[in-house]
Amino acid sequence: FFERHAVGGEYGAGWKEVGKGRVLSTFFPDNIKDSPIVIDGREVRDQTNAVVVYDNPLDNVGDLAHIFFTRCLEANIVPYVVTKKTVFKWQEGFWQKMKEVFDAEYKEKFLAAGLLKGTGNELVHLISDAATMQIIRWTGGGFGMACHNYDGDM
């Protein structure tokens, strides 16, 4: 099974082609009394640059987790969560939300079904490149992968 969190992100990105200069990404909270938060500031030095800005909503990750883990249990397969969080640090939130739901509501069910014996009795996170290699190796099936946005393209 494969589930993919493909909400927002690069699919709804805003972008402009710009020259040399500075870029400042700033978040302004709904409450006007709260201070703005600088997300990123950088100098762009090339004559031509593509500056891309996007957000990646995480409010629906809990729903995805319930659907994914329920499907894996029904099919009697091992769940894995796939991101590229070592490179894209902002993907950590997806992994954390998936793990929170798993630990709170599904871990005991997977343990009782004997589905975590080969994973150290834990939900396993795979980096997308490693997940691609596992798909090639695991020709017998028996696994499910929930991929975060970009990584679902693998």
Side-chain angles (χ1 to χ4, degrees):
F1 284 141
F2 293 90
E3 296 287 354
R4 180 178 180 199
H5 183 255
V7 177
E10 46 274 26
Y11 304 104
W15 68 278
K16 285 286 184 193
E17 194 172 286
V18 298
K20 288 184 179 184
R22 289 175 306 284
V23 175
L24 183 66
S25 299
T26 307
F27 170 76
F28 295 89
D30 277 344
N31 184 345
I32 196 73
K33 293 179 183 179
D34 292 340
S35 298
I37 300 167
V38 173
I39 306 299
D40 184 63
R42 65 184 59 219
E43 188 173 330
V44 289
R45 296 186 178 105
D46 289 354
Q47 293 297 321
T48 307
N49 302 276
V51 176
V52 181
V53 178
Y54 62 87
D55 69 302
N56 204 229
L58 297 174
D59 287 351
N60 67 350
V61 174
D63 293 338
L64 174 83
H66 287 293
I67 292 166
F68 175 65
F69 296 131
T70 298
R71 289 182 70 209
C72 288
L73 273 172
E74 288 171 352
N76 207 36
I77 60 176
V78 181
Y80 293 88
V81 176
V82 180
T83 73
K84 204 173 192 86
K85 70 184 183 96
T86 54
V87 176
F88 299 135
K89 302 298 184 205
W90 51 268
Q91 289 189 354
E92 180 68 28
F94 176 78
W95 160 246
Q96 289 174 351
K97 287 179 183 284
M98 293 292 288
K99 180 119 173 67
E100 285 170 15
V101 171
F102 180 82
D103 288 345
E105 300 185 42
Y106 294 93
K107 184 174 183 174
E108 292 304 319
K109 295 174 186 175
F110 277 91
L111 287 169
L115 293 170
L116 301 179
K117 290 178 184 172
T119 65
N121 293 329
E122 295 293 335
L123 177 64
V124 172
H125 171 268
L126 295 173
I127 299 301
S128 58
D129 300 335
T132 302
M133 294 310 297
Q134 294 296 33
I135 291 169
I136 293 168
R137 291 178 53 214
W138 293 340
T139 57
F143 64 92
M145 292 185 178
C147 304
H148 183 266
N149 208 350
Y150 163 87
D151 305 293
D153 292 344
M154 69 178 189

